[in-house]
Amino acid sequence: MFIRKSRKTMTTLLALFTAVSITACSTDKGATNTASPEPAKSTEAAQQTAVPAAAKAEEGWKSDTKPITFDWYLNFSWFPNKWGVDPTSQYITKKTGVSVNFIVPAGNENEKLNTMIASGKLPDFITLGWYEDAVKKMIEGNMVLPLNELAKQYDPYFFKVADPAKTSWYTQKDGNFYGYPNASSSTQDYKKYGENFVSNQTFLVRKDMYEAIGKPDMRTSEGFLNALKAAKEKFPEVNGQPLIPLGLNEFGDTGNYSLLDANQNSSMLANFLAIPYEKDGKLYDRSTDPEFVSWLKTFRKANETGLLSKDIFIDKRPQIEEKVAQGRYFAMLYQRSDLAKQNISLYQKDPNTAYIAVDGPANSKKDAPVLAGPGISGWTVTLISKDVKDKARAIKFLSYLISEEGNKDLFLGEKGVSYDTINGKEQFKPEVLDLLNKDRASFDKKYGSSYTFWMLMDTNMNLKWSPPSVEPIKQPEEWTKGKTKSLSQYDNIIPTGTSVEGIANSKIAQNWGKTLPKLLLTKSDAEFDQLFDKFQKDRIAAGLDKVQAYEQKEFESNTKKIAEFSK
């Protein structure tokens, strides 16, 4: 286990954005079947039934534009925007008749979602990370509707605009698919757009500090520690507050995405070390790779020598963002888009204080990192609840949103308001682009375009409208080019739920979440080894063999599935 690819928020994926980047991450969870309204059939059969009608189908949403409001749950507590307060969402409502009431958890996302699931009643639409265990719970609990059945009954146009590779990927064993992804890229997309693909995974340093200490090589453990030490000595404080030499993602119940999140089976560190995901067709246990363990010990050494701030063990995302905005971190193993807003603000005040991407931790051969690029799973999936107030309007609205017309509206907004045809190309008006590049939050409120509402964005489709990246977004984005790879075959392989494998995986992941900070806080390598060995024995006892056998089977199935729809 511990083989997955990218973050949260993702792979991950919003990497194709410009200054517009919004947080994301990808991770991994398995999928299973549930009962369907009709006898089970393959998705291919279902699509073949619908394709003839789809070829002639017109936009279903145009047939009914009476006012309707859908409740839409977003499993992201940080999402700040409201529908209907900006010109773009107002334009879409005027066009389709659909208004949206977003429901966003005030605190812990999992608690909110699990409470809703336990109640047996869900909002009309639900958007969450595809890797979340709740996806499986909702499908198995017959709480969400098969999109293919809804489309066949109410809107054949869906099959005209839906990507067959994506619907095939998300098809369950009952032959139905229940969710549609955003920011998803298939093998065909890589062939068509691959040279433009970038990763969200970066090692970042504050430009002025990095240059002041001589632009050191931080690829080796020695160079890494020396650089942290030099930065702390030269810049002990930032505006009267202590410098934080190294920033990471927040520590959670199942680990830390920068180092290793067992629940997501994701490790930015392992990707930077170019540790393989498989060897000779067999999944490789990256978490026990000697290079990975050696670097964990480097982080332990950093703590021993006072180079790991206590803040990083307790801070959640809002606190991390606040400290980025203050420029308090010297270096960060972090997602470039997740600090884009704060980095733009720093850059506007003083370009030299912005964060730039540089070569970070590397393996002993100093191989280039293998970073997670856009994958077929995407970032989130959107599902339609069995309790939806109007099935026909719901699937028609979803079809509109995933279509080129819908994506264009979501990205460019209304013509004459946020964009126009300039020099023969449809693009943002100059004053709109200027605000987008300088102040994303104000842009969202004033215009609401550029995927302010990203739930069903197609990050390949929008390439034709996207403006060129500008600093400080451009440099970290460009740094990932040539290092980015699709890791889709490792998605959807983790056992979840109440199966024997799912329970075992949950125990192991929870144990890792408790063990990881303790490893970094050990006082010696010997103590580290003792604790790490105990964790290995505990996960074997918890049923590691069953988890790995399950993952191997799913990985092989994924490989075949990708090969099939790549023909």
Side-chain angles (χ1 to χ4, degrees):
M1 72 181 291
F2 300 161
I3 55 168
R4 242 293 278 163
K5 59 172 187 178
S6 93
R7 139 106 196 191
K8 216 180 178 179
T9 131
M10 99 268 238
T11 150
T12 73
L13 47 120
L14 289 185
L16 292 178
F17 277 12
T18 59
V20 311
S21 297
I22 297 179
T23 308
C25 94
S26 66
T27 88
D28 184 341
K29 287 288 181 179
T32 56
N33 62 323
T34 185
S36 65
E38 296 182 3
K41 61 178 73 176
S42 71
T43 298
E44 289 183 6
Q47 289 184 355
Q48 286 169 2
T49 301
V51 164
K56 302 176 182 178
E58 297 299 326
E59 297 94 324
W61 62 269
K62 290 184 177 179
S63 65
D64 186 355
T65 58
K66 294 189 298 292
I68 186 172
T69 299
F70 285 116
D71 293 326
W72 195 318
Y73 175 76
L74 298 177
N75 199 42
F76 299 92
S77 61
W78 48 262
F79 184 76
N81 301 302
K82 303 291 184 183
W83 187 274
V85 301
D86 60 89
T88 297
S89 58
Q90 291 169 2
Y91 170 62
I92 291 173
T93 293
K94 180 180 178 181
K95 186 175 186 175
T96 65
V98 177
S99 295
V100 175
N101 171 42
F102 285 120
I103 301 170
V104 180
N108 185 286
E109 289 95 343
N110 289 334
E111 289 181 4
K112 173 69 173 179
L113 188 53
N114 287 333
T115 298
M116 288 196 304
I117 292 173
S119 74
K121 187 172 178 60
L122 297 173
D124 302 304
F125 287 85
I126 307 98
T127 295
L128 71 167
W130 62 262
Y131 44 85
E132 298 287 354
D133 195 27
V135 175
K136 179 178 180 180
K137 290 179 181 177
M138 288 186 287
I139 294 174
E140 289 188 337
N142 296 315
M143 301 183 73
V144 290
L145 300 172
L147 299 183
N148 51 300
E149 296 295 342
L150 286 175
K152 282 198 297 181
Q153 186 172 357
Y154 300 109
D155 189 27
Y157 180 67
F158 173 88
F159 294 106
K160 193 173 183 178
V161 294
D163 186 331
K166 297 172 186 177
T167 57
S168 173
W169 181 255
Y170 276 102
T171 295
Q172 309 297 308
K173 289 171 184 167
D174 65 356
N176 295 314
F177 55 88
Y178 297 81
Y180 198 84
N182 73 353
S184 169
S185 293
S186 65
T187 306
Q188 293 92 326
D189 291 325
Y190 266 83
K191 292 177 182 177
K192 189 173 182 180
Y193 308 108
E195 64 181 19
N196 296 306
F197 285 169
V198 290
S199 178
N200 208 19
Q201 301 179 331
T202 45
F203 180 68
L204 303 157
V205 293
R206 208 177 109 162
K207 184 175 182 292
D208 55 352
M209 294 182 181
Y210 183 66
E211 292 176 348
I213 60 173
K215 298 183 180 180
D217 183 350
M218 300 181 70
R219 291 177 295 172
T220 66
S221 293
E222 182 181 10
F224 184 85
L225 292 171
N226 286 340
L228 296 185
K229 182 173 182 290
K232 184 177 180 181
E233 290 176 349
K234 194 170 187 65
F235 303 96
E237 291 187 343
V238 178
N239 296 324
Q241 297 178 300
L243 175 78
I244 302 173
L246 179 67
L248 304 170
N249 277 275
E250 64 184 70
F251 283 80
D253 294 339
T254 56
N256 184 300
Y257 173 73
S258 298
L259 305 178
L260 174 63
D261 187 320
N263 182 52
Q264 299 180 26
N265 252 358
S266 304
S267 171
M268 287 179 66
L269 177 60
N271 287 355
F272 268 81
L273 302 180
I275 298 174
Y277 289 80
E278 59 180 282
K279 291 185 177 181
D280 300 322
K282 297 295 182 183
L283 291 175
Y284 178 58
D285 189 350
R286 303 171 89 207
S287 69
T288 58
D289 185 272
E291 302 261 18
F292 179 79
V293 176
S294 175
W295 267 94
L296 281 186
K297 289 183 176 179
T298 298
F299 285 90
R300 185 211 71 77
K301 186 68 174 178
N303 181 71
E304 181 187 354
T305 53
L307 299 174
L308 290 190
S309 167
K310 290 183 173 60
D311 294 21
I312 69 171
F313 293 100
I314 58 177
D315 282 350
K316 299 302 180 184
R317 176 159 172 167
Q319 290 75 44
I320 295 172
E321 290 182 346
E322 179 182 3
K323 287 167 182 174
V324 171
Q326 296 167 346
R328 289 185 60 192
Y329 297 103
F330 161 60
M332 300 188 78
L333 187 57
Y334 205 70
Q335 306 75 243
R336 61 180 181 80
S337 71
D338 284 18
L339 52 69
K341 291 181 183 179
Q342 295 76 25
N343 208 25
I344 290 172
S345 178
L346 289 170
Y347 186 86
Q348 292 298 320
K349 295 173 185 175
D350 181 353
N352 288 316
T353 64
Y355 288 91
I356 60 171
V358 299
D359 293 337
N363 62 34
S364 55
K365 297 179 181 178
K366 294 187 178 180
D367 293 326
V370 178
L371 306 177
I376 186 66
S377 295
W379 168 29
T380 69
V381 288
T382 294
L383 308 97
I384 296 176
S385 163
K386 67 175 178 58
D387 302 310
V388 66
K389 59 177 61 75
D390 189 323
K391 295 178 183 178
R393 292 294 295 279
I395 188 64
K396 290 175 182 178
F397 188 53
L398 189 147
S399 296
Y400 158 73
L401 292 174
I402 68 174
S403 71
E404 180 168 337
E405 181 176 1
N407 264 264
K408 181 180 177 181
D409 291 343
L410 289 165
F411 189 79
L412 287 178
E414 183 177 6
K415 189 168 186 177
V417 178
S418 50
Y419 86 97
D420 234 322
T421 302
I422 305 171
N423 297 324
K425 179 183 178 181
E426 293 179 316
Q427 55 187 297
F428 289 122
K429 297 166 72 173
E431 68 273 18
V432 177
L433 181 59
D434 184 62
L435 182 61
L436 173 62
N437 287 332
K438 290 181 177 178
D439 189 341
R440 177 72 209 210
S442 295
F443 172 90
D444 287 347
K445 292 180 175 62
K446 186 168 183 177
Y447 296 106
S449 48
S450 191
Y451 290 143
T452 295
F453 305 102
W454 40 257
M455 298 81 211
L456 287 161
M457 66 181 178
D458 188 318
T459 46
N460 299 315
M461 199 179 289
N462 89 300
L463 290 173
K464 68 183 72 175
W465 311 303
S466 293
S469 296
V470 297
E471 300 299 354
I473 302 299
K474 183 178 180 179
Q475 189 275 338
E477 183 181 274
E478 291 287 329
W479 181 87
T480 69
K481 287 187 175 180
K483 307 176 182 74
T484 300
K485 184 178 180 181
S486 173
L487 305 173
S488 294
Q489 63 269 42
Y490 310 111
D491 288 348
N492 282 330
I493 67 172
I494 301 177
T496 60
T498 57
S499 65
V500 174
E501 299 90 348
I503 292 172
N505 185 73
S506 179
K507 287 182 179 178
I508 294 169
Q510 292 287 331
N511 190 17
W512 175 252
K514 296 175 182 176
T515 301
L516 178 58
K518 292 179 181 178
L519 287 170
L520 302 185
L521 294 170
T522 53
K523 293 180 170 53
S524 66
D525 282 351
E527 185 180 343
F528 178 103
D529 290 338
Q530 185 177 12
L531 184 58
F532 191 73
D533 289 345
K534 182 181 185 304
F535 169 75
Q536 299 303 327
K537 292 176 182 177
D538 287 344
R539 70 178 186 141
I540 291 173
L544 177 63
D545 59 335
K546 295 181 177 63
V547 173
Q548 291 179 329
Y550 178 96
E551 292 178 340
Q552 180 66 30
K553 181 179 178 182
E554 293 300 306
F555 157 65
E556 292 173 359
S557 176
N558 280 354
T559 302
K560 292 178 182 177
K561 187 183 292 187
I562 291 172
E564 185 63 30
F565 64 62
S566 297
K567 291 179 180 177

